[in-house]
Amino acid sequence: MKLSSQLMDQVNVEQLSPMMRQYVEMKRAHQDQLLFYRLGDFYEMFFDDAVLVSRELELTLTGRDCGLPERAPMCGVPYHSVDTYIARLIKKGYKVAICEQLENPALAKGMVKRDIIRVVTPGTLIESDILDEGSNNFICSICCGENGCGLSFCDISTGEMNVTQLEGKDQGMVINELGKFRPNEIIYNAAFMDRQEVIAFIREKLCCTADQWDEEYFEENAAQLAVLQQFGVRSLLELGLEDMPLAVESLGGLIAYLRETQRTGMERIQTVKLYNEAQYMRLDLTARKNLELTETMRSREKRGSLLWVLDKTRTSMGKRLMKATIEQPLISAAIINRRLNAVEELTGDGVLMDNIVDQLTGIYDMERLMTKIVYGSASPRDLTSLGCALQRIPPLRQLLEEVRCGELQDIYSRLDPLTDVAQLIAQAISDDPPIALKDGDVVRKGYDQQLDEVRYLADHTKEVIASIEAKERERTGIKSLKVGYNKVFGYYIEVTRTNLDQVPAEYIRKQTLANCERYITQELKDLEARVLGAQQQILELESRIFEEVRNAVSAQLSRIQSTAAAIARLDVLTSFAVVSVRGDYVRPVVDVSDEIVIEDGRHPVVEELLAGTPFVPNDVNLNNRENQIAIITGPNMAGKSTYMRQVALITLMAQIGCFVPARSAHIGVVDAIFTRVGASDDLSTGQSTFMVEMNEVAQILKCATSKSLLILDEIGRGTSTFDGMSIARAVIEYIADKKKLGAKTLFATHYHELTVLESIIPCVKNYNIAVKKRGEEIIFLRRILPGGVDDSYGIEVSKLAGIPQWVINRAFQVLEGLENGTGVEAAKIRTRGKARTEEQQQMAFVDENAELLKRRLREADVDAMSPRDALNLLYELKKLV
């Protein structure tokens, strides 16, 4: 987006004033960004930028003399509230270049030196008051090649850097990664433009800023050099990136972009985390959405999501890690049990758990505070906040001295007390400093002797003058001697004419009046210079001391970052423990078996939303043998979808290392959870409900393995009855086949004819939602029972939804006619358990002989058959008929 227009292009630089000439030169170097130009206590915008910003932020558009016949359009914002205005522009998709004064205007000779200190983009915000404390603010770099993509995700507000390489050309894999991290800004290389499906997802779903970055920065050698320099290593082998060229090129391109926009603070990014899909449970975008892991489907709010239930963290670092933990379940049983051991120890020691919660409360966002300190934008209060957080670490560490499990012991070892840093801040910075350094009283009294002396002089000028006056009276013997001050001569010594003979020789006469003479001394001149310059000197000294302290703290970045990460881990585990105790959760048995056995399982979110109303628990028994597929039938609203999501969430909770809402649970680790729950038209791509559903099913069957868990709800309902039923059965048969898939599956359906598969396919079991019927009234019992049902109670459910009684009555009349075979379409519908005609029996989907007959006819090669082969086939077909 180029902001420069004819208004800027027509400016004759030679006619401009020196200040405006400086502005235009900088603006022309940053034409795709809004230029915030510092003038005194304001950031000003001129020409096209002023017109645009005044419109976007509803600011008054004024003008300024600039050397041209017409005044330059101008608008501005106060420097102390600039973050708010920048945030509003960033949300609208703009980028902002900040031009700062590099010297004190009062001391500058000629034009004040200015330069761009930073370019703010949606993915490079570091201001904690703008960002969501519970979410990362990622910028993503994508580098595509012939056979894969490299992706890098960085949150510069916390220093977190993640990188991976995806093999193949499956655009869905890239979409899933983008959906997981949800970056606010994306840069990419030229080859990425071929991924139209991903581009559509970015434009329509992520709605984030996306720009092509210079190809030279993605070039192999340039990218490798940037990576090696950034992380201070001699080879890619040290980072584990030696065989991942696209990942390296993606990372190098991102580092180059951050250097270009941030100018300073790149030392904040010290480590890179290499990850791949083999480390975590695969959760595609559809599964994250359907399971409502971090936000609800309808309102996109946290309340009503799994994150809402589990997040009882006390720190901002913990909140971000909790979200990442839920979105990245583990698949290593050993690591999962290591977490579970920690949660078990905390739940078993209520005093320890409560004390940790108390100590975590009040620990500020150390990660983002350190970013501001490293960037040099931290305020005095930011340092004080960090100091307060650091003071809580030693007692927190002391609480963990006697822990037994490996995970908590590891956290204990990584908690650096940081007493030296805390003491430095406590000794140097006031307890309640102002927000701005220029407001003074930032440095604590007693920290710097020179500063204390200047402060005393500024605060006790009268006392100092009085002491000089008393000393001079005693030295000269002139009792009427006075020390005074005026704006013309400054400080002076006044002596009456009767005492002029006692004036010392070193006095310098300055003014003669009718009754007295006024003198000055070298001491008074020195005092005057010190008094009049005291406030400026105080600010300069405080600024120097504050910068020294800030740099000293910044030098401890690695120690503080490591400690902040340990605090986040402890916060998440403690949150798991708190939720487990309050919700009466149980530790699951997690291993590498193929079992998912849950006794009296409960839906964690629904149970929380019920707020005291008893939740009806249910069991589940799945494995890759005789209980591989559970076909669940029952009416709408009875709880089929809740039950299936419940099983998925309990499995996921177990694999993030949390206790689960059940009486007991045995979870064999699954490598992925796939869901097909509900469907709707995708108007952006012109796809119907049925097409969306089939796309999702196709993706599941393509990507799932025998170790996956599938949640399939109402497959085939978007088309005609027989087509839908045929597709549903074919899907079940495909999943049941160990050679094709063999995944554990919960399959909800209204096609009650599918329940016959229990007698045909050994690994299929039927279940139904218990319903009690009284006349035309039904009561949902919410219990899952073995066996199938032959009624969907659709009309009864419609009545519950408020359909008018006339419609309900008429529906029952039509239904009765259809069931009796007297309706117009009677021959095309199922008979709800009653006898079928011969024709219907031949068309029945569950007629194995008919299906075999069709297949044999399709496979028969008539042209290649001998007369005997043709005769044998005819006998075989006749037998089947």
Side-chain angles (χ1 to χ4, degrees):
M1 175 180 55
K2 191 173 181 181
L3 301 176
S4 180
S5 66
Q6 292 183 357
L7 189 58
M8 275 289 294
D9 296 336
Q10 292 174 356
V11 170
N12 187 338
V13 177
E14 299 302 324
Q15 296 178 354
L16 293 172
S17 63
M19 187 275 291
M20 292 301 296
R21 191 178 305 133
Q22 183 187 60
Y23 170 85
V24 170
E25 289 173 353
M26 289 190 180
K27 176 58 188 175
R28 285 179 173 172
H30 294 270
Q31 294 188 25
D32 63 337
Q33 296 137 22
L34 295 167
L35 181 60
F36 274 45
Y37 185 84
R38 181 70 179 267
L39 274 178
D41 289 340
F42 282 80
Y43 285 98
E44 303 288 2
M45 287 126 277
F46 300 98
F47 298 111
D48 308 293
D49 285 8
V51 175
L52 188 151
V53 173
S54 66
R55 181 180 70 247
E56 294 288 359
L57 300 184
E58 299 179 351
L59 301 176
T60 301
L61 185 66
T62 61
R64 182 184 179 96
D65 293 332
C66 61
L68 298 176
E70 297 183 2
R71 289 160 60 88
M74 179 182 79
C75 72
V77 298
Y79 82 96
H80 56 78
S81 59
V82 68
D83 288 348
T84 302
Y85 293 101
I86 290 177
R88 290 170 60 188
L89 291 170
I90 294 299
K91 287 182 178 180
K92 292 175 179 288
Y94 296 104
K95 300 178 182 179
V96 176
I98 301 176
C99 178
E100 192 57 80
Q101 297 172 166
L102 303 182
E103 57 183 342
N104 189 335
L107 304 177
K109 296 181 180 179
M111 273 296 300
V112 176
K113 293 181 181 179
R114 294 180 176 85
D115 200 1
I116 304 297
I117 62 167
R118 184 179 164 218
V119 176
V120 185
T121 68
T124 60
L125 285 170
I126 61 173
E127 289 73 18
S128 54
D129 54 340
I130 297 176
L131 298 171
D132 176 7
E133 66 169 350
S135 300
N136 287 99
N137 182 49
F138 285 113
I139 178 173
C140 173
S141 170
I142 306 177
C143 182
C144 292
E146 292 184 2
N147 296 306
C149 284
L151 286 87
S152 299
F153 298 90
C154 181
D155 181 352
I156 67 169
S157 72
T158 64
E160 179 180 346
M161 178 74 83
N162 302 274
V163 62
T164 192
Q165 181 166 309
L166 304 177
E167 304 296 340
K169 297 184 178 181
D170 184 357
Q171 299 188 54
M173 296 172 65
V174 179
I175 290 174
N176 287 337
E177 291 305 307
L178 294 176
K180 180 195 303 181
F181 287 93
R182 301 198 71 84
N184 287 313
E185 183 177 2
I186 298 173
I187 60 171
Y188 52 82
N189 68 337
F192 173 73
M193 295 304 295
D194 295 334
R195 272 66 173 183
Q196 290 301 314
E197 186 180 338
V198 182
I199 292 173
F201 171 75
I202 293 172
R203 182 175 60 251
E204 297 159 8
K205 304 297 183 182
L206 284 184
C207 302
C208 69
T209 301
D211 295 300
Q212 184 172 330
W213 183 227
D214 293 345
E215 201 70 20
E216 61 181 287
Y217 296 117
F218 291 106
E219 191 272 327
E220 181 179 3
N221 292 333
Q224 287 187 12
L225 181 60
V227 172
L228 296 178
Q229 289 178 343
Q230 177 63 36
F231 298 105
V233 295
R234 289 177 292 180
S235 70
L236 297 175
L237 180 63
E238 297 180 50
L239 298 174
L241 294 169
E242 69 278 9
D243 297 322
M244 305 178 71
L246 291 174
V248 173
E249 291 165 17
S250 165
L251 184 57
L254 180 55
I255 290 171
Y257 181 82
L258 294 177
R259 286 176 178 168
E260 177 72 19
T261 58
Q262 302 309 292
R263 308 295 173 95
T264 60
M266 285 300 292
E267 62 271 22
R268 180 68 179 89
I269 304 170
Q270 296 188 322
T271 59
V272 57
K273 178 183 178 183
L274 176 63
Y275 75 97
N276 58 64
E277 63 177 12
Q279 293 175 266
Y280 304 107
M281 178 195 293
R282 281 178 295 152
L283 289 167
D284 63 18
L285 205 62
T286 302
R288 296 174 193 279
K289 174 184 172 184
N290 288 335
L291 296 179
E292 299 181 309
L293 298 184
T294 60
E295 61 183 22
T296 59
M297 283 191 289
R298 292 188 178 182
S299 62
R300 300 196 66 178
E301 295 178 350
K302 180 180 177 181
R303 177 180 170 81
S305 68
L306 182 63
L307 178 62
W308 172 67
V309 174
L310 298 184
D311 186 12
K312 299 298 181 284
T313 53
R314 298 292 176 149
T315 69
S316 299
M317 299 94 72
K319 290 182 184 302
R320 291 191 292 272
L321 182 60
M322 174 65 79
K323 187 174 182 181
T325 299
I326 292 174
E327 292 184 323
Q328 295 181 320
L330 302 169
I331 60 174
S332 167
I335 300 177
I336 293 169
N337 280 295
R338 184 179 170 92
R339 286 185 186 175
L340 290 171
N341 290 340
V343 177
E344 184 173 43
E345 183 165 348
L346 291 171
T347 55
D349 190 340
V351 175
L352 173 63
M353 182 180 69
D354 291 341
N355 287 338
I356 291 175
V357 170
D358 291 341
Q359 206 58 47
L360 288 172
T361 304
I363 293 183
Y364 297 100
D365 196 339
M366 295 166 58
E367 290 179 334
R368 285 181 172 165
L369 286 173
M370 281 306 299
T371 297
K372 296 175 74 173
I373 290 171
V374 170
Y375 272 77
S377 62
S379 69
R381 288 188 182 178
D382 290 330
L383 268 184
T384 302
S385 296
L386 179 63
C388 292
L390 298 183
Q391 289 174 4
R392 288 181 169 269
I393 296 175
L396 180 62
R397 193 171 187 271
Q398 188 176 5
L399 290 172
L400 300 178
E401 285 181 346
E402 304 298 327
V403 294
R404 299 180 302 278
C405 71
E407 185 75 1
L408 293 179
Q409 288 177 347
D410 184 63
I411 291 174
Y412 170 79
S413 67
R414 295 177 185 275
L415 281 176
D416 189 327
L418 294 166
T419 51
D420 54 332
V421 182
Q423 288 175 0
L424 172 63
I425 296 174
Q427 292 170 0
I429 309 299
S430 302
D431 289 334
D432 187 22
I435 297 177
L437 186 60
K438 72 179 186 66
D439 292 336
D441 291 329
V442 170
V443 178
R444 187 185 296 276
K445 293 180 180 178
Y447 180 74
D448 184 87
Q449 183 179 353
Q450 182 183 3
L451 176 60
D452 289 344
E453 291 175 356
V454 179
R455 278 176 170 168
Y456 182 83
L457 179 63
D459 296 338
H460 302 85
T461 302
K462 291 183 179 180
E463 290 90 335
V464 173
I465 295 299
S467 66
I468 294 177
E469 186 177 83
K471 183 181 70 173
E472 290 300 314
R473 283 180 178 179
E474 183 178 352
R475 184 168 74 89
T476 63
I478 304 173
K479 302 300 182 184
S480 60
L481 180 148
K482 294 189 300 183
V483 177
Y485 173 82
N486 66 34
K487 294 182 179 180
V488 177
F489 295 110
Y491 288 101
Y492 56 84
I493 296 174
E494 185 175 283
V495 180
T496 59
R497 288 190 175 278
T498 57
N499 297 304
L500 292 180
D501 56 338
Q502 295 177 271
V503 173
E506 66 269 21
Y507 278 24
I508 303 170
R509 188 166 59 187
K510 196 69 177 176
Q511 186 181 22
T512 300
L513 299 178
N515 300 320
C516 62
E517 295 281 347
R518 291 178 175 175
Y519 301 87
I520 61 171
T521 64
Q522 188 61 42
E523 182 183 15
L524 270 181
K525 289 176 64 178
D526 293 343
L527 173 65
E528 180 180 332
R530 287 160 53 203
V531 169
L532 296 180
Q535 291 301 327
Q536 182 61 35
Q537 190 177 4
I538 288 172
L539 292 178
E540 291 174 356
L541 287 171
E542 287 205 318
S543 179
R544 175 182 60 79
I545 294 169
F546 179 76
E547 186 173 352
E548 290 174 353
V549 174
R550 187 175 61 196
N551 290 339
V553 175
S554 178
Q556 305 304 316
L557 173 61
S558 295
R559 294 171 60 198
I560 297 174
Q561 182 73 5
S562 176
T563 299
I567 290 173
R569 287 169 58 194
L570 180 62
D571 200 5
V572 169
L573 293 172
T574 306
S575 180
F576 285 165
V578 169
V579 171
S580 298
V581 171
R582 294 178 182 175
D584 192 24
Y585 292 0
V586 66
R587 174 173 179 163
V589 175
V590 178
D591 55 27
V592 294
S593 69
D594 65 354
E595 301 279 356
I596 296 182
V597 180
I598 301 170
E599 182 182 2
D600 284 348
R602 312 184 304 274
H603 193 297
V605 179
V606 175
E607 183 179 46
E608 188 76 12
L609 290 171
L610 288 175
T613 303
F615 182 92
V616 178
N618 278 296
D619 302 340
V620 67
N621 183 9
L622 291 175
N623 53 46
N624 288 92
R625 289 162 279 118
E626 69 279 0
N627 293 304
Q628 180 191 325
I629 301 176
I631 295 180
I632 306 167
T633 52
N636 289 317
M637 294 178 59
K640 298 191 300 296
S641 295
T642 298
Y643 171 71
M644 293 194 298
R645 286 190 176 101
Q646 166 185 312
V647 174
L649 289 177
I650 289 176
T651 302
L652 185 144
M653 288 173 64
Q655 291 191 216
I656 65 174
C658 183
F659 284 16
V660 299
R663 179 180 296 178
S664 67
H666 179 187
I667 306 297
V669 170
V670 301
D671 65 359
I673 296 177
F674 293 97
T675 67
R676 216 308 310 169
V677 181
S680 60
D681 293 344
D682 190 343
L683 299 179
S684 61
T685 60
Q687 293 184 345
S688 67
T689 299
F690 181 66
M691 191 61 182
V692 171
E693 176 186 341
M694 290 299 100
N695 282 337
E696 293 179 2
V697 173
Q699 192 68 16
I700 292 172
L701 299 182
K702 175 183 176 182
C703 299
T705 73
S706 61
K707 294 183 179 180
S708 303
L709 173 62
L710 312 187
I711 306 297
L712 304 178
D713 190 6
E714 305 295 348
I715 297 296
R717 67 178 175 181
T719 185
S720 67
T721 302
F722 284 119
D723 283 350
M725 193 190 310
S726 302
I727 292 171
R729 174 166 176 169
V731 168
I732 293 174
E733 290 178 348
Y734 183 91
I735 295 172
D737 191 331
K738 300 294 190 293
K739 295 180 180 180
K740 293 184 174 65
L741 185 51
K744 292 182 284 292
T745 304
L746 294 174
F747 193 104
T749 183
H750 282 294
Y751 297 135
H752 302 116
E753 292 82 355
L754 296 181
T755 58
V756 74
L757 294 178
E758 182 180 59
S759 61
I760 299 174
I761 304 176
C763 64
V764 173
K765 294 293 182 288
N766 290 329
Y767 297 90
N768 69 89
I769 304 290
V771 174
K772 188 173 183 179
K773 187 172 183 181
R774 295 176 180 173
E776 295 182 2
E777 301 293 331
I778 59 172
I779 301 173
F780 301 128
L781 301 180
R782 313 293 185 188
R783 294 291 296 180
I784 302 293
L785 302 175
V789 296
D790 61 357
D791 201 334
S792 289
Y793 301 100
I795 299 176
E796 291 86 347
V797 173
S798 299
K799 184 177 181 180
L800 292 177
I803 297 294
Q805 187 61 44
W806 186 92
V807 176
I808 300 298
N809 294 338
R810 178 56 183 156
F812 275 118
Q813 293 174 2
V814 174
L815 177 63
E816 182 179 1
L818 292 172
E819 290 184 327
N820 292 332
T822 59
V824 177
E825 302 293 329
K828 296 184 180 180
I829 65 168
R830 62 185 180 86
T831 60
R832 298 176 68 87
K834 294 180 172 58
R836 299 168 182 245
T837 66
E838 180 179 353
E839 181 183 0
Q840 287 174 326
Q841 291 173 357
Q842 291 176 352
M843 294 179 61
F845 181 73
V846 295
D847 190 338
E848 290 293 310
N849 288 343
E851 292 298 307
L852 183 57
L853 185 148
K854 295 176 185 177
R855 185 167 69 250
R856 292 291 289 121
L857 279 173
R858 283 194 296 266
E859 293 173 352
D861 187 355
V862 179
D863 294 332
M865 283 184 180
S866 67
R868 183 172 293 277
D869 290 337
L871 187 62
N872 290 336
L873 176 62
L874 185 59
Y875 280 120
E876 179 184 351
L877 296 179
K878 184 177 179 181
K879 183 178 180 180
L880 288 174
V881 171

